[in-house]
Amino acid sequence: DVQLVESGGDSVQPGGSLTLSCVNSGDTFPSHCMGWFRQAPGKEREKVATFYTLVRGANYADSVKGRFTISQDSAKNTLFLQMDSLKPEDTAMYYCAINRESCPYCSGRSCYAHHWGQGTQVTVS
């Protein structure tokens, strides 16, 4: 089974930085895509960034381009999200997700992934 555990969330001031981590302590797949999603109070969950293992390709939401960096340490089954120049609007619960083959995504009011972590809170104020 897949078990995703996020860590690294904290309270920071605007302009600050944080690094989130997501460890997959369960099954791994040769071809998979992992991602970070976030959900602010009263808002829908949205994609932040995804990372496709085979091509080591990253994709970002426009709102975080140039400020966030997603990366993966395959040997440690760990996904990272380096967040710089944080803004109050980045405040949200951040979730890690993984899919076999294709990447997790959002459509309409819902987001889809084979597995989700429990989330880690990021507060910027």
Side-chain angles (χ1 to χ4, degrees):
D1 196 11
V2 173
Q3 294 183 337
L4 303 176
V5 179
E6 304 97 331
S7 63
D10 204 345
S11 294
V12 297
Q13 294 183 344
S17 297
L18 279 176
T19 300
L20 305 183
S21 300
C22 171
V23 178
N24 176 11
S25 59
D27 296 335
T28 59
F29 321 110
S31 173
H32 64 271
C33 185
M34 297 186 74
W36 289 98
F37 291 72
R38 67 187 181 186
Q39 187 164 17
K43 294 188 177 181
E44 296 165 359
R45 189 171 297 192
E46 62 178 0
K47 187 193 83 172
V48 175
T50 55
F51 188 88
Y52 188 51
T53 300
L54 275 186
V55 298
R56 301 193 68 79
N59 184 272
Y60 298 91
D62 289 342
S63 60
V64 306
K65 281 181 181 177
R67 300 188 299 120
F68 291 9
T69 303
I70 190 171
S71 62
Q72 185 184 43
D73 184 337
S74 299
K76 297 182 179 179
N77 294 330
T78 303
L79 184 74
F80 301 98
L81 185 68
Q82 174 67 39
M83 305 186 293
D84 298 316
S85 302
L86 282 162
K87 304 175 181 180
E89 51 263 44
D90 295 318
T91 295
M93 184 71 78
Y94 283 70
Y95 297 92
C96 178
I98 186 171
N99 260 19
R100 300 185 186 191
E101 303 298 337
S102 61
C103 287
Y105 66 97
C106 296
S107 179
R109 301 178 63 181
S110 299
C111 295
Y112 301 90
H114 292 151
H115 302 278
W116 293 94
Q118 294 300 307
T120 186
Q121 178 67 39
V122 172
T123 302
V124 185
S125 64

